[in-house]
Amino acid sequence: MTTCPIAHGYDPLDPSVVADPYPALRHLREEGPVFYLSSLDHYIVTRFDDIEAILKDRETWSASNASSPLIPVCPQAQEVLNSGFKRVPTLNNADPPRHAPMRKSVLAVMTPRRLRALEPVLRDYATSLIEGFAGKPVIDFVQEYSFPFPGFAAFSLLGFPDADTDTLKEWSRTRVLLTYGRLSDEQQVETAKDVVAMWQYVEDFVARRTAEPLDDLTSDLVRLARDQPDQITTFDIVNIVYSMALAGHETTMNTIGSGLLALLRNRQQWRLLIDEPTLIQNAVEEILRFDGPVLNHRRVAKVDTSIGGIDIQAGSRIMMCFAAADHDPTHFGGDAESFRVDRSEAEFHLAFGKGAHLCLGAALGRLETQITLELLTTMTPDMELVPDQELQYSPNALFRGLRSLLVAPRGTGP
Amino acid sequence: MIEPEVDEQKFQQAQRALKISALQAGPSDGDSCRGCLYYLELDSGLAFCWHEKLQILVGADWWCHYWEMADS
């Protein structure tokens, strides 16, 4: 056992790291398996094998801090949250024994049948968004596609009325920054108000579906709760629906934006997808590996333990750096930093986690990304990046997402 | 003496299945392959897993992260 080295000078919220975290992460991964980050009081774990072992070991590691604010919110914002935000550990931040009934409930209702039923709806909506590019020399792909599409998908699945979509998206816009970024006190208060508003919306929505279930995932959860009241309650459903509305939206938005950027920057890979559409499924995995939507995920040690020979005390918080692990050459080879849509080991990535906390929305996220690539490569094969644009990413330490991506669509015909 | 022929492709497929599924030789939170949608031979202690990502023999008391509740 040895003392943990300190990650001097590394700040995941530094603008240069937010813009491109991979060089710093490569350096950390090569230097050692674990570093202590005093500014955030977390240990950073960078290597694939260590992270995989942590994800699979729930005796040693708790997920209870997975959704906790990275930096404590200011008292004014906390007061707003206390006034009406009642979220409790549910899926990604729940440990045994609470986790299993939540997960089983979602698995029971998020069936392949429901996803198959949703697919044509998603394809039509995505097509209409791309048709909207017509006649525009330049579009912001994030604003016009990767932001609205996953929101529509998640909200359709849950059953939120179309008329509420814009309001829900507005409430979701800065949510991530409250938990994982550095907002000013004033911004925190405004975002906290949105959080409370969205929570109250979900409470009301679940109450409506409880009174009159329809054909959507929320209604299926309501039916399940009636049939198996020992498994989930109405309050659990509110927590699940709230979590899924946010998680499904943010991560897939990031995947689609980063994916298109990677493809258009690597024109040969884009051409390969156009010529060989059978590669699209693997391309989705490579996008998730190469520039995935989740940079870091967190755990807290339940007992004294060690990672890679470094002592970790009970109660210590760790950030598992998925972005570093998914570029680990011991798993992805010497060209792990390259983007290759035909990479055979692409699907070994950790973008959706692993083990009991494997992302429940993985199938939906993959479906949305696949639909997007199928449509873009056929409807806008000549799409190009606008040169010399300054790419802006969401300034937070957990999710990697473009704020805008300017592209020239150059035609939207088949 | 004839050396047994190693089917490298089968080995690689099995390794791949293990790697992506987090398959473990024991249950998780009380769930195991026997109660999973893709484990069809309920009376058998060892059976073929029909999940598209696995398609290998698994034990009734094992578990992986593709576990889905069997239709009741």
Side-chain angles (χ1 to χ4, degrees), chain A residues 155-156 158-162 164 168 198 201-202 205 209 218 241 245:
Chain A
F155 302 158
S156 298
L158 294 167
F160 294 159
D162 289 349
D164 298 341
L168 287 160
M198 184 150 170
Y201 173 91
V202 173
F205 176 71
R209 287 297 189 263
T218 306
V241 171

Side-chain angles (χ1 to χ4, degrees), chain B residues 4-32:
Chain B
E5 189 177 340
V6 175
D7 188 329
E8 184 71 17
Q9 194 180 355
K10 272 189 182 169
F11 169 75
Q12 294 293 350
Q13 283 170 350
Q15 286 293 98
R16 193 176 187 91
L18 287 177
K19 206 165 177 179
I20 61 174
S21 68
L23 186 66
Q24 62 186 44
S28 172
D29 282 342
D31 296 324
S32 62

Side-chain angles (χ1 to χ4, degrees), chain A residues 399-411:
Chain A
F399 294 106
R400 177 158 172 80
L402 281 162
R403 288 178 141 183
S404 73
L405 181 65
L406 301 179
V407 297
R410 302 192 195 289

Side-chain angles (χ1 to χ4, degrees), chain A residues 53 56 74 86 117 133 168 171 222 237 255 316 340 348 352 376 383 388 391 408:
Chain A
K56 289 162 81 173
C74 69
K86 304 168 196 162
F133 301 167
L168 287 160
W171 285 336
V222 165
I237 297 172
T255 304
S316 299
R340 285 199 295 109
F348 296 160
F352 290 127
L376 289 177
M383 179 179 267
D388 302 326
L391 296 172

Side-chain angles (χ1 to χ4, degrees), chain A residues 178-199:
Chain A
L178 182 68
T179 315
Y180 308 123
R182 274 192 193 120
L183 292 178
S184 68
D185 287 3
E186 193 177 308
Q187 290 169 323
Q188 287 184 38
V189 169
E190 287 309 307
T191 305
K193 287 177 184 170
D194 287 344
V195 169
V196 171
M198 184 150 170
W199 178 268

